[in-house]
Amino acid sequence: MAMVFAPNTQSDQEDNPEEHLHLRNLGAKLRSHRKAAGLTLTELAARVDLDKGYLSRIENGKKVPPLATLSRLANALDIEAGSLIGYSVSTPGTWRGVSVVRHDEQRPTVMGGTTFGYDYFALSKAKPNHALQPFLFSFPEQIDKYVFFQHDGEELLYVLSGKIEWQVGSQKYVLKAGDTIHFDSQIPHRGRSLSGQATALVVMFSPAGFDENLA
């Protein structure tokens, strides 16, 4: 899953760590990527124009950086921001060529968008490297205006309940229950609920397989 962070023209603001439970391992991941890149704290801090002490506190889990800073760190390390957040796919059962998931077997799945308020429930026992990944998806009402999602392949979204605004590139579409949108997922995209709880069937497809690239 690739996240696209739009430029932030305002000063970075500290986010509330309690709102970012999925970032709890960010510091350790950042340190690991920094060392793999052969950079010292001083060198990485200079690349992203951060104070060395502030960067040290991030690595030690004492600070959670705002999204714009997270993006700058990822760019400096030549990695995707999602690899700093860390996510995993936990699909029920084992893939044996055919998958049946009963209504009470749908399990929450942690993915890149989970950190930003999107909820996923796996609808298949397919392995993460399968090209097609279906989910039951629910939308947050509030989204970060600087964050989009972008990944290889295609995506189809069928609205099951509620009313949503779905943005693909610069175009915004208002969708209601029964509406479908199919788009090239290499185009930055995101969505939010316009009327309380809203759910959709989301099918993601990548010719190269999942490989931690889908949102």
Side-chain angles (χ1 to χ4, degrees), residues 36-47:
L39 296 173
T40 65
L41 266 174
T42 301
E43 290 170 334
L44 180 57
R47 285 193 180 190

Side-chain angles (χ1 to χ4, degrees), residues 89 111 127-131 133 135 206 208-214:
V89 176
M111 301 181 70
K127 293 296 183 181
N129 61 351
H130 281 214
Q133 295 288 332
F135 298 95
S206 172
F210 185 76
D211 194 28
E212 295 189 341
N213 286 323
L214 304 185

Side-chain angles (χ1 to χ4, degrees), residues 107-120:
R107 298 181 183 176
T109 302
V110 178
M111 301 181 70
T114 304
T115 301
F116 303 99
Y118 299 90
D119 293 326
Y120 305 78

Side-chain angles (χ1 to χ4, degrees), residues 38-104:
L39 296 173
T40 65
L41 266 174
T42 301
E43 290 170 334
L44 180 57
R47 285 193 180 190
V48 294
D49 194 26
L50 285 179
D51 178 76
K52 176 183 174 181
Y54 178 75
L55 182 58
S56 177
R57 290 193 293 275
I58 295 174
E59 288 197 355
N60 290 324
K62 297 178 179 178
K63 289 288 184 181
V64 177
L67 297 177
T69 299
L70 182 64
S71 178
R72 283 156 48 199
L73 287 166
N75 289 337
L77 294 169
D78 195 27
I79 59 175
E80 292 185 356
S83 65
L84 290 177
I85 293 173
Y87 55 90
S88 61
V89 176
S90 177
T91 52
T94 302
W95 172 259
R96 299 183 184 278
V98 176
S99 173
V100 175
V101 177
R102 305 297 181 184
H103 72 280
D104 57 352

